[in-house]
Amino acid sequence: MTALPVQTKKPLTKTRLIGFAALGVCAVGYTGMGLALLAGKLDYLDMTYAALLAAVAALIGEIGLWVGAGCLGLTLFKKRKAMLDKLFGRKAQPSEV
């Protein structure tokens, strides 16, 4: 009978940390957009100001989304490239990130 391998945690590299932080900014931005529109609909704010505030918050959320997706996608690309290099017996290039 063979023992199952022990799962270890993935290291939190700088790129992954930036990606997860950017996704947090994305969530805050889109939540702020929704709350601003809700405040406008409930007449806590004038709808013009609520729409402007929602647009700024949506822009922040969208920037966070793109930065997070880019950083986390880059880590997946590097992981796949390293796996293919190992499979084909190629020497891996040193990474700068």
Side-chain angles (χ1 to χ4, degrees):
M1 180 174 245
T2 60
L4 294 175
V6 177
Q7 296 250 346
T8 59
K9 291 175 67 173
K10 291 182 184 178
L12 191 61
T13 62
K14 187 164 82 169
T15 308
R16 285 175 51 106
L17 182 64
I18 291 170
F20 286 125
L23 287 180
V25 169
C26 170
V28 169
Y30 284 134
T31 302
M33 178 194 69
L35 290 175
L37 290 176
L38 182 66
K41 285 289 186 185
L42 296 176
D43 288 332
Y44 287 114
L45 284 175
D46 186 32
M47 197 59 192
T48 305
Y49 294 122
L52 286 173
L53 186 61
V56 170
L59 181 65
I60 291 169
E62 192 69 22
I63 290 169
L65 177 69
W66 281 97
V67 170
C71 287
L72 294 176
L74 180 63
T75 60
L76 286 175
F77 171 75
K78 286 183 179 183
K79 182 179 165 184
R80 300 274 189 256
K81 186 174 181 325
M83 183 180 66
L84 288 174
D85 286 343
K86 184 179 176 184
L87 180 68
F88 292 125
R90 296 184 286 203
K91 277 200 156 190
Q93 298 293 331
S95 176
E96 294 180 9
V97 176

Coordinates of all heavy atoms in Angstrom, one line a residue:
M1 N 0.8 -1.2 0.0 CA 0.0 0.0 0.0 C 0.9 1.2 0.0 O 1.8 1.3 0.8 CB -0.9 0.0 1.2 CG -1.8 1.1 1.3 SD -2.9 0.9 2.7 CE -4.4 0.8 1.8
T2 N 0.6 2.2 -0.9 CA 1.4 3.4 -1.0 C 0.7 4.6 -0.2 O -0.5 4.6 -0.1 CB 1.6 3.8 -2.4 OG1 0.3 4.1 -3.0 CG2 2.3 2.7 -3.2
A3 N 1.5 5.4 0.3 CA 1.0 6.6 1.1 C 0.7 7.7 0.1 O 1.3 7.9 -1.0 CB 2.0 7.1 2.0
L4 N -0.4 8.4 0.4 CA -0.8 9.5 -0.5 C 0.2 10.7 -0.3 O 0.7 10.9 0.9 CB -2.2 10.0 -0.2 CG -3.3 9.0 -0.5 CD1 -4.6 9.5 0.0 CD2 -3.3 8.7 -2.0
P5 N 0.5 11.4 -1.3 CA 1.4 12.6 -1.1 C 0.8 13.7 -0.3 O -0.4 13.9 -0.4 CB 1.7 13.1 -2.5 CG 0.6 12.5 -3.4 CD 0.1 11.3 -2.7
V6 N 1.6 14.3 0.5 CA 1.1 15.4 1.3 C 1.0 16.7 0.5 O 1.9 17.0 -0.2 CB 2.0 15.7 2.5 CG1 1.6 16.8 3.4 CG2 2.1 14.4 3.4
Q7 N -0.2 17.3 0.5 CA -0.3 18.6 -0.2 C 0.3 19.7 0.5 O 0.0 19.9 1.7 CB -1.8 18.8 -0.4 CG -2.5 17.8 -1.2 CD -2.9 18.3 -2.6 OE1 -2.9 19.5 -2.8 NE2 -3.3 17.4 -3.5
T8 N 1.1 20.5 -0.2 CA 1.7 21.7 0.5 C 1.0 22.9 -0.1 O 0.5 22.9 -1.2 CB 3.2 21.7 0.2 OG1 3.4 21.7 -1.2 CG2 3.9 20.5 0.8
K9 N 1.1 24.0 0.6 CA 0.5 25.3 0.2 C 1.4 25.9 -0.9 O 2.6 25.8 -0.9 CB 0.4 26.2 1.3 CG -0.6 25.8 2.3 CD -0.6 26.7 3.5 CE -1.1 28.1 3.1 NZ -1.3 29.0 4.3
K10 N 0.8 26.5 -1.9 CA 1.5 27.2 -2.9 C 2.2 28.5 -2.4 O 1.6 29.1 -1.5 CB 0.6 27.6 -4.1 CG 0.0 26.5 -4.9 CD -0.8 27.0 -6.0 CE -1.5 25.9 -6.8 NZ -2.3 26.4 -7.8
P11 N 3.4 28.8 -2.8 CA 4.0 30.0 -2.3 C 3.3 31.2 -2.8 O 2.8 31.2 -4.0 CB 5.4 29.9 -2.8 CG 5.4 29.0 -3.9 CD 4.2 28.0 -3.7
L12 N 3.2 32.2 -2.0 CA 2.5 33.5 -2.4 C 3.6 34.4 -3.0 O 4.2 35.1 -2.3 CB 1.8 34.1 -1.3 CG 0.8 35.2 -1.6 CD1 -0.3 34.8 -2.5 CD2 0.2 35.8 -0.3
T13 N 3.8 34.3 -4.3 CA 4.8 35.2 -5.0 C 4.2 36.6 -5.1 O 3.1 36.9 -4.8 CB 5.1 34.6 -6.4 OG1 3.9 34.6 -7.2 CG2 5.6 33.2 -6.3
K14 N 5.1 37.5 -5.5 CA 4.7 38.9 -5.6 C 3.6 39.0 -6.7 O 2.7 39.8 -6.5 CB 6.0 39.7 -6.0 CG 5.7 41.2 -6.0 CD 7.0 42.0 -6.0 CE 7.6 42.1 -7.3 NZ 8.7 43.1 -7.3
T15 N 3.7 38.3 -7.8 CA 2.7 38.4 -8.8 C 1.4 37.9 -8.4 O 0.3 38.6 -8.6 CB 3.2 37.6 -10.1 OG1 4.5 38.0 -10.4 CG2 2.3 37.8 -11.2
R16 N 1.3 36.8 -7.6 CA 0.1 36.3 -7.1 C -0.5 37.3 -6.1 O -1.7 37.5 -6.0 CB 0.3 34.9 -6.5 CG 0.4 33.8 -7.5 CD 0.7 32.5 -6.9 NE -0.2 32.2 -5.8 CZ -1.1 31.2 -5.9 NH1 -1.3 30.6 -7.1 NH2 -1.9 31.0 -5.0
L17 N 0.3 37.8 -5.2 CA -0.1 38.8 -4.2 C -0.7 40.0 -4.9 O -1.8 40.5 -4.5 CB 1.0 39.2 -3.3 CG 0.7 40.1 -2.2 CD1 -0.3 39.5 -1.2 CD2 2.0 40.6 -1.4
I18 N -0.1 40.5 -5.9 CA -0.7 41.7 -6.6 C -2.0 41.3 -7.3 O -3.0 42.1 -7.2 CB 0.3 42.2 -7.7 CG1 1.5 42.8 -7.0 CG2 -0.3 43.2 -8.6 CD1 2.7 43.1 -7.9
G19 N -2.1 40.1 -7.8 CA -3.3 39.6 -8.5 C -4.5 39.5 -7.5 O -5.6 40.0 -7.8
F20 N -4.2 38.9 -6.3 CA -5.3 38.8 -5.4 C -5.7 40.2 -4.8 O -6.9 40.4 -4.5 CB -4.9 37.8 -4.3 CG -4.9 36.4 -4.7 CD1 -3.8 35.6 -4.5 CD2 -6.1 35.8 -5.3 CE1 -3.9 34.3 -5.0 CE2 -6.1 34.5 -5.7 CZ -5.0 33.7 -5.5
A21 N -4.7 41.0 -4.6 CA -5.1 42.4 -4.1 C -5.9 43.1 -5.1 O -6.8 43.9 -4.7 CB -3.8 43.1 -3.7
A22 N -5.5 43.0 -6.4 CA -6.3 43.7 -7.4 C -7.7 43.1 -7.5 O -8.7 43.9 -7.8 CB -5.6 43.5 -8.7
L23 N -7.9 41.9 -7.3 CA -9.3 41.3 -7.3 C -10.1 41.8 -6.1 O -11.3 42.0 -6.2 CB -9.2 39.8 -7.4 CG -8.8 39.2 -8.7 CD1 -8.8 37.7 -8.7 CD2 -9.7 39.7 -9.8
G24 N -9.4 42.1 -5.0 CA -10.1 42.7 -3.9 C -10.5 44.1 -4.2 O -11.6 44.5 -3.8
V25 N -9.6 44.9 -4.9 CA -10.0 46.2 -5.3 C -11.2 46.1 -6.3 O -12.1 47.0 -6.3 CB -8.8 46.9 -6.0 CG1 -9.2 48.2 -6.7 CG2 -7.7 47.2 -4.9
C26 N -11.2 45.1 -7.2 CA -12.3 44.9 -8.1 C -13.6 44.7 -7.3 O -14.6 45.4 -7.7 CB -12.0 43.7 -9.0 SG -13.4 43.2 -10.0
A27 N -13.6 43.9 -6.3 CA -14.8 43.6 -5.6 C -15.3 44.9 -4.8 O -16.5 45.2 -4.8 CB -14.6 42.5 -4.6
V28 N -14.4 45.7 -4.3 CA -14.7 46.9 -3.6 C -15.3 47.9 -4.6 O -16.3 48.6 -4.3 CB -13.5 47.5 -2.9 CG1 -13.7 48.9 -2.4 CG2 -13.1 46.6 -1.7
G29 N -14.7 48.0 -5.8 CA -15.2 49.0 -6.8 C -16.6 48.7 -7.3 O -17.4 49.5 -7.3
Y30 N -16.8 47.4 -7.6 CA -18.2 47.0 -8.1 C -19.2 47.1 -6.9 O -20.4 47.4 -7.2 CB -18.2 45.6 -8.7 CG -17.5 45.6 -10.1 CD1 -16.6 44.7 -10.4 CD2 -17.9 46.6 -11.0 CE1 -16.1 44.7 -11.7 CE2 -17.3 46.6 -12.3 CZ -16.4 45.7 -12.6 OH -15.9 45.7 -13.9
T31 N -18.8 46.8 -5.7 CA -19.7 47.0 -4.6 C -20.1 48.4 -4.4 O -21.2 48.8 -4.1 CB -19.1 46.4 -3.3 OG1 -18.8 45.0 -3.5 CG2 -20.1 46.5 -2.1
G32 N -19.1 49.3 -4.5 CA -19.3 50.7 -4.4 C -20.2 51.3 -5.5 O -21.1 52.1 -5.2
M33 N -20.1 50.7 -6.7 CA -21.0 51.1 -7.8 C -22.4 50.7 -7.4 O -23.3 51.5 -7.6 CB -20.6 50.4 -9.1 CG -21.5 50.7 -10.2 SD -21.2 49.6 -11.6 CE -21.9 48.1 -11.0
G34 N -22.6 49.5 -7.0 CA -24.0 49.1 -6.6 C -24.6 49.9 -5.5 O -25.7 50.3 -5.5
L35 N -23.8 50.2 -4.5 CA -24.3 51.0 -3.4 C -24.6 52.4 -3.8 O -25.5 53.0 -3.3 CB -23.2 51.0 -2.2 CG -23.1 49.6 -1.5 CD1 -22.0 49.7 -0.5 CD2 -24.4 49.3 -0.9
A36 N -23.8 53.0 -4.7 CA -24.0 54.3 -5.2 C -25.3 54.4 -6.0 O -26.1 55.3 -5.8 CB -22.9 54.8 -6.0
L37 N -25.6 53.4 -6.8 CA -26.8 53.4 -7.5 C -28.0 53.2 -6.6 O -29.1 53.8 -6.8 CB -26.8 52.3 -8.6 CG -25.8 52.6 -9.8 CD1 -25.8 51.5 -10.8 CD2 -26.3 53.9 -10.5
L38 N -27.8 52.3 -5.6 CA -28.9 52.1 -4.6 C -29.2 53.4 -3.9 O -30.4 53.7 -3.6 CB -28.5 51.0 -3.7 CG -29.5 50.6 -2.7 CD1 -30.7 50.0 -3.3 CD2 -28.9 49.6 -1.7
A39 N -28.2 54.1 -3.5 CA -28.4 55.4 -2.8 C -29.1 56.4 -3.7 O -29.9 57.2 -3.2 CB -27.0 56.0 -2.3
G40 N -28.8 56.4 -5.0 CA -29.6 57.2 -5.9 C -31.0 56.8 -6.0 O -31.9 57.7 -6.1
K41 N -31.3 55.5 -6.1 CA -32.7 55.1 -6.3 C -33.5 55.3 -5.0 O -34.7 55.6 -5.1 CB -32.7 53.6 -6.6 CG -32.3 53.3 -8.0 CD -33.4 53.7 -8.9 CE -33.0 53.3 -10.3 NZ -34.0 53.8 -11.3
L42 N -32.8 55.2 -3.8 CA -33.6 55.5 -2.6 C -33.6 56.9 -2.2 O -34.0 57.3 -1.1 CB -32.9 54.6 -1.5 CG -33.0 53.1 -1.7 CD1 -32.3 52.4 -0.5 CD2 -34.4 52.7 -1.7
D43 N -33.1 57.8 -3.0 CA -33.1 59.3 -2.8 C -32.3 59.7 -1.7 O -32.6 60.7 -1.0 CB -34.6 59.8 -2.7 CG -35.3 59.8 -4.0 OD1 -34.6 59.9 -5.0 OD2 -36.6 59.7 -4.0
Y44 N -31.2 59.0 -1.4 CA -30.2 59.5 -0.4 C -29.3 60.5 -1.1 O -28.7 61.3 -0.4 CB -29.4 58.3 0.2 CG -30.2 57.5 1.2 CD1 -30.6 56.2 1.0 CD2 -30.7 58.1 2.4 CE1 -31.3 55.5 1.9 CE2 -31.4 57.3 3.3 CZ -31.7 56.0 3.0 OH -32.4 55.3 3.9
L45 N -29.1 60.2 -2.4 CA -28.3 61.1 -3.2 C -29.1 61.5 -4.4 O -30.0 60.8 -4.8 CB -27.0 60.4 -3.7 CG -25.9 60.2 -2.7 CD1 -24.8 59.3 -3.4 CD2 -25.3 61.5 -2.3
D46 N -28.7 62.7 -5.0 CA -29.3 63.0 -6.3 C -28.8 62.0 -7.3 O -27.7 61.6 -7.3 CB -28.9 64.5 -6.6 CG -29.5 65.0 -7.9 OD1 -30.7 64.6 -8.1 OD2 -28.9 65.8 -8.6
M47 N -29.7 61.6 -8.2 CA -29.3 60.6 -9.1 C -28.1 60.9 -10.1 O -27.4 60.1 -10.4 CB -30.5 60.2 -10.0 CG -30.4 58.8 -10.7 SD -30.1 57.5 -9.5 CE -29.7 56.2 -10.5
T48 N -28.0 62.2 -10.3 CA -26.8 62.6 -11.1 C -25.5 62.4 -10.4 O -24.6 61.8 -11.0 CB -26.9 64.2 -11.4 OG1 -28.2 64.4 -12.1 CG2 -25.8 64.6 -12.3
Y49 N -25.5 62.7 -9.1 CA -24.2 62.5 -8.3 C -24.1 61.0 -8.1 O -22.9 60.5 -8.1 CB -24.3 63.2 -7.0 CG -24.3 64.7 -7.2 CD1 -25.4 65.5 -6.7 CD2 -23.3 65.4 -7.8 CE1 -25.4 66.9 -6.8 CE2 -23.3 66.7 -8.0 CZ -24.3 67.5 -7.5 OH -24.3 68.8 -7.6
A50 N -25.1 60.3 -7.9 CA -25.0 58.8 -7.7 C -24.5 58.1 -9.0 O -23.7 57.2 -8.9 CB -26.4 58.3 -7.3
A51 N -24.9 58.6 -10.1 CA -24.4 58.0 -11.4 C -23.0 58.3 -11.6 O -22.2 57.5 -12.0 CB -25.3 58.5 -12.6
L52 N -22.5 59.5 -11.3 CA -21.1 59.9 -11.4 C -20.3 59.1 -10.4 O -19.2 58.6 -10.8 CB -20.9 61.4 -11.1 CG -21.4 62.3 -12.3 CD1 -21.3 63.8 -11.8 CD2 -20.5 62.1 -13.5
L53 N -20.7 58.9 -9.2 CA -20.0 58.2 -8.2 C -20.0 56.7 -8.6 O -18.9 56.0 -8.5 CB -20.7 58.3 -6.8 CG -20.0 57.7 -5.6 CD1 -18.6 58.3 -5.4 CD2 -20.9 57.8 -4.4
A54 N -21.1 56.2 -9.2 CA -21.1 54.8 -9.6 C -20.1 54.6 -10.8 O -19.5 53.5 -10.9 CB -22.5 54.4 -10.0
A55 N -20.0 55.6 -11.7 CA -19.1 55.4 -12.8 C -17.7 55.4 -12.4 O -16.9 54.6 -12.9 CB -19.4 56.6 -13.8
V56 N -17.3 56.2 -11.4 CA -16.0 56.2 -10.9 C -15.7 54.9 -10.2 O -14.6 54.2 -10.4 CB -15.7 57.4 -9.9 CG1 -14.4 57.3 -9.2 CG2 -15.8 58.7 -10.7
A57 N -16.6 54.4 -9.4 CA -16.4 53.1 -8.7 C -16.3 52.0 -9.7 O -15.6 51.0 -9.5 CB -17.6 52.9 -7.7
A58 N -17.2 52.0 -10.7 CA -17.1 50.9 -11.7 C -15.8 50.9 -12.5 O -15.2 49.9 -12.8 CB -18.2 51.1 -12.7
L59 N -15.2 52.1 -12.7 CA -13.9 52.2 -13.4 C -12.8 51.6 -12.5 O -12.0 50.9 -13.0 CB -13.6 53.7 -13.7 CG -12.3 53.9 -14.4 CD1 -12.3 53.3 -15.8 CD2 -12.0 55.4 -14.5
I60 N -12.9 51.9 -11.2 CA -11.9 51.3 -10.2 C -12.1 49.8 -10.2 O -11.1 49.0 -10.2 CB -12.1 51.9 -8.8 CG1 -11.7 53.4 -8.8 CG2 -11.4 51.1 -7.8 CD1 -12.1 54.1 -7.6
G61 N -13.3 49.3 -10.2 CA -13.6 47.9 -10.2 C -13.0 47.2 -11.5 O -12.5 46.1 -11.5
E62 N -13.2 47.9 -12.6 CA -12.8 47.3 -13.9 C -11.2 47.3 -14.0 O -10.7 46.3 -14.5 CB -13.3 48.2 -15.1 CG -13.2 47.6 -16.4 CD -14.1 46.4 -16.6 OE1 -15.1 46.2 -15.9 OE2 -13.7 45.6 -17.5
I63 N -10.6 48.3 -13.5 CA -9.1 48.3 -13.5 C -8.6 47.2 -12.6 O -7.7 46.5 -13.0 CB -8.6 49.7 -13.0 CG1 -8.9 50.8 -14.0 CG2 -7.1 49.6 -12.7 CD1 -8.6 52.2 -13.6
G64 N -9.2 47.0 -11.4 CA -8.9 45.9 -10.6 C -9.1 44.5 -11.2 O -8.3 43.6 -11.1
L65 N -10.2 44.4 -12.0 CA -10.5 43.2 -12.6 C -9.4 42.8 -13.7 O -8.9 41.7 -13.7 CB -11.8 43.2 -13.3 CG -12.2 42.0 -14.1 CD1 -12.5 40.8 -13.2 CD2 -13.5 42.4 -15.0
W66 N -9.0 43.8 -14.5 CA -8.0 43.6 -15.5 C -6.6 43.3 -15.0 O -5.9 42.5 -15.5 CB -8.0 44.7 -16.5 CG -9.1 44.6 -17.5 CD1 -10.3 45.3 -17.4 CD2 -9.2 43.8 -18.7 NE1 -11.1 44.9 -18.4 CE2 -10.5 44.0 -19.2 CE3 -8.3 42.9 -19.3 CZ2 -10.9 43.4 -20.4 CZ3 -8.7 42.3 -20.4 CH2 -10.0 42.5 -21.0
V67 N -6.2 44.1 -13.9 CA -4.9 43.8 -13.3 C -4.9 42.5 -12.7 O -3.9 41.7 -12.8 CB -4.6 45.0 -12.3 CG1 -3.3 44.7 -11.5 CG2 -4.4 46.3 -13.1
G68 N -5.9 42.1 -11.9 CA -6.0 40.8 -11.3 C -6.0 39.7 -12.2 O -5.2 38.7 -12.1
A69 N -6.7 39.8 -13.3 CA -6.8 38.7 -14.3 C -5.4 38.6 -15.0 O -4.9 37.5 -15.3 CB -7.9 39.0 -15.3
G70 N -4.8 39.7 -15.3 CA -3.5 39.7 -15.9 C -2.4 39.1 -15.1 O -1.6 38.2 -15.5
C71 N -2.4 39.4 -13.8 CA -1.3 38.9 -12.9 C -1.6 37.4 -12.6 O -0.6 36.6 -12.7 CB -1.3 39.6 -11.6 SG -0.6 41.3 -11.7
L72 N -2.8 37.0 -12.3 CA -3.1 35.6 -12.1 C -2.9 34.8 -13.3 O -2.5 33.6 -13.3 CB -4.4 35.5 -11.4 CG -4.5 36.1 -10.0 CD1 -5.9 36.0 -9.5 CD2 -3.5 35.5 -9.1
G73 N -3.3 35.3 -14.5 CA -3.1 34.6 -15.7 C -1.6 34.4 -16.0 O -1.2 33.4 -16.6
L74 N -0.8 35.4 -15.7 CA 0.6 35.3 -15.9 C 1.2 34.1 -15.1 O 2.1 33.4 -15.5 CB 1.3 36.6 -15.6 CG 2.8 36.7 -15.8 CD1 3.2 36.4 -17.2 CD2 3.4 38.0 -15.3
T75 N 0.7 34.0 -13.8 CA 1.2 32.9 -13.0 C 0.8 31.5 -13.6 O 1.6 30.6 -13.5 CB 0.8 33.0 -11.5 OG1 -0.7 33.0 -11.5 CG2 1.3 34.3 -10.9
L76 N -0.4 31.5 -14.1 CA -0.8 30.2 -14.7 C 0.0 29.9 -16.0 O 0.4 28.7 -16.2 CB -2.3 30.3 -15.1 CG -3.3 30.1 -14.0 CD1 -4.7 30.3 -14.5 CD2 -3.1 28.8 -13.3
F77 N 0.3 30.9 -16.8 CA 1.1 30.7 -18.0 C 2.5 30.2 -17.6 O 3.0 29.3 -18.2 CB 1.2 32.0 -18.7 CG 2.2 32.0 -19.9 CD1 1.9 31.3 -21.0 CD2 3.4 32.6 -19.8 CE1 2.8 31.3 -22.1 CE2 4.3 32.5 -20.8 CZ 4.0 31.9 -22.0
K78 N 3.1 30.8 -16.6 CA 4.5 30.4 -16.2 C 4.5 29.0 -15.6 O 5.4 28.2 -15.9 CB 5.0 31.3 -15.1 CG 5.4 32.7 -15.7 CD 6.0 33.5 -14.6 CE 6.4 34.9 -15.2 NZ 7.1 35.7 -14.2
K79 N 3.4 28.6 -14.9 CA 3.3 27.3 -14.4 C 3.2 26.2 -15.5 O 3.8 25.2 -15.5 CB 2.1 27.2 -13.5 CG 1.9 25.9 -12.8 CD 0.6 26.0 -11.9 CE 0.1 24.6 -11.5 NZ -1.1 24.7 -10.7
R80 N 2.3 26.5 -16.5 CA 2.2 25.6 -17.6 C 3.4 25.5 -18.5 O 3.8 24.5 -18.9 CB 1.0 26.1 -18.6 CG -0.3 26.2 -17.9 CD -1.0 24.9 -17.9 NE -2.4 25.0 -17.5 CZ -2.8 24.6 -16.3 NH1 -2.0 24.1 -15.4 NH2 -4.1 24.8 -15.9
K81 N 4.1 26.7 -18.7 CA 5.3 26.7 -19.4 C 6.4 25.8 -18.7 O 7.1 25.0 -19.4 CB 5.8 28.1 -19.6 CG 7.1 28.1 -20.6 CD 7.4 29.6 -20.9 CE 8.6 29.7 -21.8 NZ 9.6 28.8 -21.7
A82 N 6.5 25.9 -17.4 CA 7.5 25.2 -16.7 C 7.1 23.7 -16.7 O 8.0 22.8 -16.9 CB 7.5 25.6 -15.2
M83 N 5.9 23.3 -16.7 CA 5.4 21.9 -16.8 C 5.8 21.4 -18.2 O 6.3 20.3 -18.3 CB 3.9 21.8 -16.6 CG 3.4 20.4 -16.6 SD 1.7 20.3 -16.3 CE 1.0 21.1 -17.8
L84 N 5.6 22.1 -19.3 CA 5.9 21.7 -20.6 C 7.4 21.6 -20.8 O 7.9 20.7 -21.5 CB 5.3 22.6 -21.7 CG 3.8 22.5 -21.8 CD1 3.3 23.6 -22.8 CD2 3.4 21.2 -22.4
D85 N 8.2 22.5 -20.2 CA 9.6 22.4 -20.3 C 10.1 21.2 -19.6 O 11.0 20.5 -20.1 CB 10.3 23.7 -19.6 CG 10.1 24.9 -20.5 OD1 9.9 24.8 -21.7 OD2 10.3 26.0 -19.9
K86 N 9.6 20.8 -18.5 CA 10.0 19.6 -17.8 C 9.6 18.4 -18.6 O 10.3 17.4 -18.7 CB 9.3 19.6 -16.4 CG 9.7 18.4 -15.6 CD 9.0 18.5 -14.2 CE 9.3 17.3 -13.4 NZ 8.6 17.3 -12.1
L87 N 8.4 18.4 -19.2 CA 7.9 17.3 -20.0 C 8.8 17.0 -21.2 O 9.1 15.8 -21.5 CB 6.5 17.5 -20.5 CG 5.8 16.4 -21.3 CD1 5.6 15.2 -20.4 CD2 4.5 16.9 -21.8
F88 N 9.2 18.0 -21.9 CA 10.0 17.9 -23.1 C 11.5 17.9 -22.8 O 12.3 17.8 -23.8 CB 9.7 19.0 -24.1 CG 8.3 18.8 -24.7 CD1 7.4 19.9 -24.6 CD2 7.9 17.7 -25.3 CE1 6.1 19.8 -25.1 CE2 6.6 17.5 -25.8 CZ 5.7 18.6 -25.8
G89 N 11.9 18.0 -21.6 CA 13.3 17.9 -21.2 C 14.1 19.2 -21.6 O 15.3 19.1 -21.7
R90 N 13.4 20.3 -21.7 CA 14.1 21.6 -22.0 C 14.6 22.2 -20.7 O 14.0 22.1 -19.7 CB 13.2 22.5 -22.8 CG 12.8 22.0 -24.1 CD 12.0 23.0 -24.8 NE 10.7 23.1 -24.3 CZ 9.6 23.5 -24.9 NH1 9.7 23.9 -26.1 NH2 8.4 23.5 -24.3
K91 N 15.7 23.0 -20.8 CA 16.1 23.8 -19.7 C 15.2 25.0 -19.5 O 15.0 25.7 -20.5 CB 17.6 24.2 -19.8 CG 18.5 23.2 -19.5 CD 19.9 23.9 -19.2 CE 20.6 22.9 -18.3 NZ 21.8 23.5 -17.8
A92 N 14.7 25.2 -18.3 CA 13.9 26.4 -18.1 C 14.7 27.7 -18.0 O 15.8 27.7 -17.5 CB 13.1 26.2 -16.8
Q93 N 14.1 28.7 -18.6 CA 14.8 30.0 -18.6 C 14.6 30.6 -17.2 O 13.5 30.4 -16.6 CB 14.2 30.9 -19.6 CG 14.3 30.5 -21.1 CD 15.8 30.5 -21.5 OE1 16.6 31.3 -21.0 NE2 16.2 29.5 -22.4
P94 N 15.6 31.3 -16.7 CA 15.4 32.0 -15.4 C 14.3 33.0 -15.4 O 14.2 33.8 -16.4 CB 16.8 32.6 -15.0 CG 17.5 32.6 -16.3 CD 16.9 31.6 -17.2
S95 N 13.5 33.0 -14.4 CA 12.3 34.0 -14.4 C 12.7 35.2 -13.7 O 13.5 35.2 -12.7 CB 11.2 33.3 -13.6 OG 10.1 34.2 -13.5
E96 N 12.2 36.4 -14.2 CA 12.5 37.7 -13.6 C 11.4 38.1 -12.6 O 11.6 39.1 -11.9 CB 12.7 38.7 -14.6 CG 13.9 38.5 -15.5 CD 14.1 39.5 -16.6 OE1 13.4 40.5 -16.5 OE2 14.9 39.3 -17.5
V97 N 10.3 37.4 -12.6 CA 9.2 37.8 -11.8 C 9.1 37.0 -10.5 O 9.4 35.9 -10.5 CB 7.8 37.7 -12.5 CG1 6.7 38.0 -11.6 CG2 7.8 38.6 -13.7

